[in-house]
Amino acid sequence: MPELPEVETTVNDLKPHAIGKTIIGVDVLSPNTIAEPSPDQFRKGIVGRKILEIRRRGKHLIFDLDSKKVLIVHLRMTGALLVKPSTEKPEKFVRVVINLDNATAIHFRDVRRFGRMWLLKDESEVVGKLGPEPLSPEFTTEVLAKILAGRSAPVKALLLDQTLIAGIGNMYADEALYSARIHPSQPADSLKKAELKRLHSAIQEVLLRGIKNKGASTDTYFRPSGTKGAAHLEFQVAHRKGETCPVCGGTVHRIVVRQRGTFFCPKCQKLRVQRT
């Protein structure tokens, strides 16, 4: 699933092609992709509208339109927004095509059909319950400590809860926990101050590195240009089961934490036994 760095990269790559441009046509090839309103109302609501800004909230892309409405896109597991010439025929897995007045089109490609689009007056209907942005100045070590305090669930599971922290997904949670030397199954409320400080720094470092490397193309993620990101090439543990830990020389393992595949190094990330 595209996570914060992949979505941020998509936003940054789309801006030169779309900001200030007017939407002149929309082809909804898979009606179920439109979550709200109806596909017909969706078309009527965005055709003729100018794109004023594109931004990210959590894993969502938000297009600000001159109608004071917002077009929200969630790529979900296999989605990608691709910039194509307006004359190019959509490929098999393209669900929605948005044609712009600069002879280009934005193709919403989504292999598994989980991605969604909304056209709304109030963006909070979709993103209002998201937690703080992990790269914002407001996200401090103290804020992270408050989020995890009193919660005995595995720390990995809480990092993935979008209502607690917005944008972190499976890959970057694994990388952050590895960098902080914390076992993914460690109860969140058992983390010590030093561990919380390391985890806070690690979260920001791995996300910023992911953005710098234009996201991770481990499966179906592509940048709007159709090229792949390179963040996965620097992963230390994520998607590296059986490979050598770059720190201790041990073997990277894979376990399941709350139904999510999780990669870690047992030697570097020891699970601390809780005293009763």
Side-chain angles (χ1 to χ4, degrees):
M1 177 184 291
E3 303 176 22
L4 188 156
E6 290 74 45
V7 178
E8 185 74 15
T9 298
T10 299
V11 167
N12 293 336
D13 286 359
L14 283 177
K15 284 184 176 183
H17 300 281
I19 289 182
K21 304 303 185 293
T22 298
I23 299 169
I24 60 173
V26 178
D27 297 319
V28 179
L29 306 177
S30 295
N32 288 341
T33 298
I34 309 302
E36 189 179 343
S38 69
D40 285 342
Q41 290 300 314
F42 181 83
R43 290 189 194 92
K44 292 177 182 178
I46 68 172
V47 172
R49 308 291 13 143
K50 181 180 288 187
I51 300 171
L52 301 180
E53 183 59 277
I54 309 174
R55 48 197 173 87
R56 181 193 56 76
R57 179 72 173 100
K59 300 177 186 178
H60 299 74
L61 294 97
I62 302 177
F63 294 72
D64 294 310
L65 307 179
D66 65 354
S67 61
K68 296 185 178 181
K69 290 187 177 182
V70 291
L71 167 63
I72 302 178
V73 182
H74 196 333
L75 302 175
R76 296 280 170 85
M77 289 185 68
T78 61
L81 294 179
L82 305 174
V83 175
K84 302 286 187 179
S86 59
T87 55
E88 183 168 324
K89 182 179 179 181
E91 60 176 282
K92 179 180 179 181
F93 298 114
V94 172
R95 309 304 176 187
V96 178
V97 177
I98 299 175
N99 291 289
L100 306 178
D101 64 353
N102 59 348
T104 63
I106 300 173
H107 290 200
F108 186 9
R109 182 182 186 274
D110 184 17
V111 176
R112 299 189 65 180
R113 299 176 184 263
F114 292 148
R116 291 292 181 268
M117 287 180 156
W118 295 260
L119 180 65
L120 303 167
K121 289 183 178 180
D122 183 3
E123 66 187 68
S124 68
E125 292 182 35
V126 174
V127 301
K129 294 183 179 180
L130 295 178
E133 289 288 333
L135 294 179
S136 68
E138 293 75 24
F139 184 72
T140 62
T141 302
E142 292 71 26
V143 167
L144 176 62
K146 288 180 181 179
I147 289 171
L148 300 182
R151 300 177 186 271
S152 60
V155 61
K156 164 74 182 283
L158 297 183
L159 291 181
L160 300 184
D161 186 336
Q162 299 300 294
T163 66
L164 299 179
I165 307 172
I168 303 175
N170 213 34
M171 300 182 294
Y172 296 100
D174 286 349
E175 288 295 296
L177 289 167
Y178 172 77
S179 179
R181 303 189 300 283
I182 297 171
H183 194 287
S185 295
Q186 190 71 40
D189 59 2
S190 72
L191 295 183
K192 301 176 181 179
K193 288 184 179 180
E195 291 174 316
L196 288 166
K197 186 175 182 179
R198 292 201 306 266
L199 180 58
H200 175 266
S201 296
I203 288 170
Q204 295 192 328
E205 287 171 4
V206 301
L207 292 175
L208 288 171
R209 187 162 60 245
I211 294 170
K212 179 181 178 181
N213 290 319
K214 310 301 182 183
S217 292
T218 58
D219 190 7
T220 57
Y221 165 72
F222 290 90
R223 297 172 61 186
S225 62
T227 58
K228 293 183 177 182
H232 58 289
L233 301 178
E234 294 189 11
F235 281 170
Q236 305 294 292
V237 290
H239 299 285
R240 296 192 178 278
K241 177 185 176 182
E243 296 186 24
T244 301
C245 169
V247 173
C248 73
T251 302
V252 175
H253 287 212
R254 181 186 185 276
I255 58 173
V256 176
V257 177
R258 295 287 177 91
Q259 300 181 326
R260 300 302 297 273
T262 299
F263 299 87
F264 77 111
C265 172
K267 292 185 178 180
C268 293
Q269 299 166 265
K270 295 184 183 298
L271 181 61
R272 284 190 281 104
V273 177
Q274 299 300 295
R275 295 180 179 178
T276 58

